[in-house]
Each structure stands twice: as C-alpha cells, then as structure tokens.
Amino acid sequence: MSIHDEPLPGILGAEEDRSELKQTWRLLEEPEPVPTAATDAAWLDLTRRLADVETPEDVEGEVGTTHPRSDRPRRTRGPFLQVAAAILVSLGGTGVWYSTPVVHTAAAGSNETVELADGSRVLLNAGSELRSRRGFSLLPGVPASTRRVELDGEAFFDVASDGRAFEVVTAGARVHVLGTRFNVRARDGEGSSVRVTVEEGSVAVESEGTSGRAVLEAGESVRVGPTGVLEEVSDVPSSRIAPWRNGGITLVDEPLSGIVRELSVRLDVSIRVAAEAAPGATMNVFYSRLDSIESVLADLATQQGLRYRQTAEGWELF
C-alpha cells in the first residue's frame, strides 16, 4: 500500500499535509509482528513516535536527514491527520490488537488488582472477569465519551473522575457513575442476580430487563432480580460493604446454589449439593473472614436441614 503523490481533492490538498501523512505511514511500518505480550509497550512507543512526527519545514530531502530547527513552535497535526493516523493504524497489524478488548481476570481462590487507563482502580474478586476498550478510546487519539467496562463476577470500583461518565455493564444491569467507590456483584448462572452497593458517592442502577432505575447514595444497596425486577433500595452497614476485600463474605437473599457457587470460587474447592437436597428459601450470609470451609458448611446445613461431608473431590451437602 502506498500514499499517492498527487493531491487528493477535498482531503489532502496541502503539500505539508501529504508530506506529514507519508512520514506517519513510514513510522507505522514494523519490520516484524509485535508479540502479544508486548502490545501495550508497542502502543506507547507508537504513540510517542506519532507525536514526534516532523513537519515539512523541519525535514528536507530524504526522511532521516534533519536540519537545525528554528525557534518557531512546531506545527501541531490537524484533526484530519490525527484521524488519518488512526486509520493507518487500523489498517496495520497494530490495529488488530488495539481493537481487541483488554481482559483482566482473577483466578479461583485469589483476587486481582487492576488499574484502568483513566487511573480508576478495580479489585476483582475470585473467578471474575473485567473487559474494557483499550485506553477508553474509539480510535488511537480519539477518546470515547463514556468509559465502559463489562463485568462477569464481582468487583469493587474506585473510579477516577475525568469528566466522562463511567459505566459498568453486566448481564442484568447497568451502573452509571462519575466518580465514587462501589461494589458490583453479577455472577453468571441459573437464578443469578445483580447487586450494587455504594461505599462513597452515588450511582444510578438501571435494569436491563425492565425500565427500572434507582439512584444509590453511600451506605445503600439494591438488587436486580433474575427476572430483571429492580427491588427496593436498602441500607447496608459499612462493615458489610464488600468484606471480601479483606477475606470475608456477605451474601444477601441468595439461594443455596448461589452461596455454594460463591464459596467454591472464593476458596477454589469443589462443593456439591445432592440432587435430593431441596434448595429451600434464600439466605443471608456474613462472615468477616472465611477461615474454615467446614464451619460455613455446618452453618448452611443447620439452616437448611441438611448434612455435609468431605469427599474425594471436595465437599458435599446432602
């Protein structure tokens, strides 16, 4: 592929623009593919090089032959050339990985701290996944109007304010915020629900299944049920806001199946509920620390009229 030498009517009529675009294209030519593990470093390097492209007045003759600059300020690339550079990137190998969402995961049995491109910090609970657009941009150098992330699992957000809305998308709800600290639990699975709890600031929660909407302040929580119904806002003591950050657990109005799934992923252990064990009503579970799986199973068995035992694969409620 090449850049035409003749002007492109209505697009690149100025000689300086055409010359600058040629230089941008040369900068984008990589002799070898960039390894996946090095894409972030490669993008930062590419951004630096694009920002350092010389103007026609700075470069004479062949590219690479530079002459002393005058004291005048360097000409800044116009909006068209910024977009053109982005298009060139999308046509090259760099565009493939740039357009691919950034994925952060926390394995079963461990948490993961993530710092997003805008400076926001996210603590992912065990067995969770967070996806976002690289750099929160539509194209290189073109910021998106909304900082959007997709969550499968549970995460605590400490959102940096930069003038743009921040949105958390889950399978059943959307959470909108400008700058605050809050927890979102959205484990996928049968009978799953979404619960949002605010520690600081305020957020708006919208159900994906209905037109329901709730605004939460600090110390408040709301649940979006499996059918998409937005339930009443409730108060939450500060000690019960995301205690999993310090090794604890809190679950509100969860069925036995949901509690068992959470314990399994948190402790990285297999827990089976026998088919003949009726699930019963929903329960509330709170432990400041999860020190012993056996003590938790003993409490669950007592509440549900069940028994528990250790097996070769893990544990079983029956």
Side-chain angles (χ1 to χ4, degrees):
M1 187 172 181
S2 63
I3 302 298
H4 294 286
D5 291 330
E6 63 273 17
L8 301 180
I11 300 179
L12 288 179
E15 173 63 29
E16 59 182 15
D17 283 345
R18 290 190 290 113
S19 177
E20 186 174 335
L21 187 55
K22 289 179 183 179
Q23 296 173 57
T24 300
W25 178 256
R26 291 189 181 98
L27 284 173
L28 290 172
E29 293 178 343
E30 296 288 346
E32 296 179 359
V34 177
T36 301
T39 52
D40 288 328
W43 172 247
L44 290 175
D45 179 65
L46 177 59
T47 302
R48 176 187 59 76
R49 287 185 290 153
L50 286 175
D52 202 34
V53 169
E54 307 290 352
T55 64
E57 293 84 351
D58 294 324
V59 180
E60 297 178 8
E62 294 295 328
V63 173
T65 304
T66 59
H67 295 268
R69 303 175 183 174
S70 65
D71 293 334
R72 61 167 179 76
R74 190 192 327 191
R75 183 175 66 87
T76 302
R77 291 197 310 275
F80 170 79
L81 287 177
Q82 294 176 7
V83 175
I87 294 174
L88 290 176
V89 170
S90 68
L91 292 174
T94 306
V96 175
W97 65 262
Y98 185 83
S99 61
T100 303
V102 179
V103 180
H104 301 281
T105 59
S110 63
N111 299 337
E112 186 72 25
T113 300
V114 176
E115 183 165 348
L116 301 178
D118 65 337
S120 297
R121 294 178 63 85
V122 183
L123 180 60
L124 287 178
N125 200 350
S128 300
E129 181 177 282
L130 186 75
R131 298 175 296 278
S132 64
R133 184 185 294 273
R134 188 175 297 277
F136 289 127
S137 299
L138 299 176
L139 288 170
V142 185
S145 59
T146 299
R147 298 167 289 169
R148 181 174 293 107
V149 299
E150 297 178 7
L151 174 67
D152 180 6
E154 184 170 17
F156 185 86
F157 295 84
D158 187 353
V159 177
S161 180
D162 73 352
R164 292 179 295 169
F166 191 98
E167 183 179 71
V168 182
V169 180
T170 72
R174 289 176 181 257
V175 182
H176 305 272
V177 62
L178 284 175
T180 185
R181 292 164 56 85
F182 60 99
N183 190 78
V184 179
R185 172 178 164 77
R187 296 283 191 195
D188 194 15
E190 183 179 355
S192 60
S193 60
V194 179
R195 180 170 290 277
V196 181
T197 308
V198 178
E199 183 177 79
E200 180 182 300
S202 62
V203 305
V205 181
E206 296 179 356
S207 168
E208 290 283 67
T210 67
S211 58
R213 186 176 189 272
V215 177
L216 305 181
E217 304 294 336
E220 294 184 332
S221 178
V222 73
R223 177 176 180 262
V224 180
T227 60
V229 175
L230 194 67
E231 300 178 356
E232 292 292 328
V233 175
S234 59
D235 295 329
V236 179
S238 59
S239 62
R240 298 200 176 193
I241 298 178
W244 60 267
R245 292 174 290 172
N246 299 309
I249 186 173
T250 181
L251 299 172
V252 180
D253 295 330
E254 284 284 341
L256 179 61
S257 58
I259 295 172
V260 166
R261 283 198 305 271
E262 183 68 21
L263 291 172
S264 295
V265 73
R266 284 288 307 280
L267 300 174
D268 194 16
V269 63
S270 174
I271 306 174
R272 176 178 176 271
V273 179
E276 63 273 14
T282 59
M283 295 179 289
N284 297 336
V285 174
F286 172 72
Y287 292 89
S288 58
R289 288 198 64 84
L290 276 177
D291 294 323
S292 168
I293 180 62
E294 187 170 2
S295 64
V296 177
L297 292 179
D299 291 342
L300 293 176
T302 299
Q303 291 188 50
Q304 295 290 305
L306 302 172
R307 291 180 291 170
Y308 71 95
R309 63 189 173 196
Q310 191 168 13
T311 68
E313 292 78 22
W315 296 85
E316 181 183 37
L317 284 164
F318 62 101

